[in-house]
Amino acid sequence: MMAFTARDAKAHQLTKMKRLAGALLAAAAALFVLARLQHGAGIWGWVAAFAEAAMIGALADWFAVVALFRRPLGLPIPHTAIIPSNKARVADNLAAFVRDKFLATETLVHKLRAFDPADRLGAWLRQPDNAALVADKLAAALAGWLDFIDDARVRSLIAAGVRERLKDIDVSRVAGQVLDTLTVDNRHQELLDLGLRRLARWLDDEEVQASFATMIIEIAGKEYPKTLRAVGLVTDTEEFALKIAASIVKGVNGWMHDIGDDPEHPRRRAFDDMVAEFIERLKTDEDFAARINAAKLEILTHPVLAHYLNGLWDELKAWLNEDLERPESRLRQRLAGAASAFGATLADNPALRTSLDDHLESAVVALADDFRDALSLHIASTVKSWNDDDLVREVELAVGRDLQFIRLNGTVVGGGIGLALHALTVLVSRAS
């Protein structure tokens, strides 16, 4: 079963009113014939006067109503089918009326001020349900955008953008500036202390020392067997070799403790000199900077970096899709929170509301003329492009039911006038 639309309801009401007006005309005609058959005797004279005038009124108003939309009985009577015959003029006048009466700049600004959009928006967004609604709409739009987007193009844009940004960065100078900042107030010494303490604590563990000693023996035995055998480090007695290696590990550990415990240790000053020299070289050595930037360019063209950059968008898109599908989406919650926070800020900040209203008003003033002209042209061109039958049908559906009341009123009022004229005729004839 097809749904009964509002347009169908209008068409049904129009047809009903047409039938009622036609039935009233037919009743008046039947009453007139009946009165004439009685030769107008007695009360039938009054009936005949009423029916005759009612028919005339009904027919005149029928003609007037029909002439608005089409030619009565299809006859080429002048000044009929008024709406389709004057479609272009109607379109232009309608467009001008809407433009001048509804879309005038002063009217729009007045309505905007009366509406107080910033205050209303702030109050509306403070409601949790409304903030959630905004978040849902934005999330739905984002989900649709993710499905519509060209992944290959986005990957290419991201990769190209990152490469262009990195290509323009002077890595050597930036690194020098960063390290310069890190060395203020001996911060690099704090980092050195932290590293030494952790490494020393790790080497304090006997199992770790034993593991390092064993590693030293294995590596030395493989890489430098003759040299180390000559100095006695690699011997036929495994226990003796392990003791020597363990002593080396303990010596290194003790040396780290000494550096960590002595703020004036020579190695610390050497570390300071090395860091300062390296920073200065990064900032001033053109050859060194050229080698670093050449290495940077080589990295930028490396397939591994390209694969990583291409994967950034895929990972982000997968995360967004997965999050948006979850009932407790974090992105939706963040969007709702942002909308609610913005609403609270608007409600509590009169200066912000005034600023937003002023910007909206300025936008209306700036765009009103172009918008008004464009909309009026659109209205005029749309109406002109309609088929005559479609135009008549739409206008008749919009106002036709009310026009049928004119026919009803014409029938009743015409009959009343007929009675009045008949009464006047009777009075005059009796007076004479």
Side-chain angles (χ1 to χ4, degrees), residues 227-251:
T227 303
L228 296 180
R229 187 179 296 279
V231 298
L233 243 162
V234 178
T235 67
D236 294 331
T237 306
E238 183 177 351
E239 183 178 354
F240 177 71
L242 286 173
K243 286 182 178 181
I244 294 175
S247 297
I248 296 174
V249 172
K250 288 181 179 180

Side-chain angles (χ1 to χ4, degrees), residues 67-93:
L68 284 173
F69 304 107
R70 55 187 64 85
R71 298 190 182 281
L73 303 176
L75 299 175
I77 302 173
H79 303 294
T80 57
I82 294 173
I83 292 177
S85 298
N86 298 275
K87 181 173 64 174
R89 183 163 56 86
V90 170
D92 291 334
N93 290 339

Side-chain angles (χ1 to χ4, degrees), residues 4-19:
F4 194 67
T5 64
R7 192 175 186 280
D8 294 332
K10 287 183 179 181
H12 175 72
Q13 292 174 354
L14 176 61
T15 301
K16 183 178 178 181
M17 289 301 299
K18 282 183 175 181
R19 289 174 179 173

Side-chain angles (χ1 to χ4, degrees), residues 50 66 107 125 128 213 228 260 328 354 364 421:
F50 172 84
V66 172
T107 301
L125 287 176
L228 296 180
E328 299 297 328
T354 301
V364 168
L421 292 175

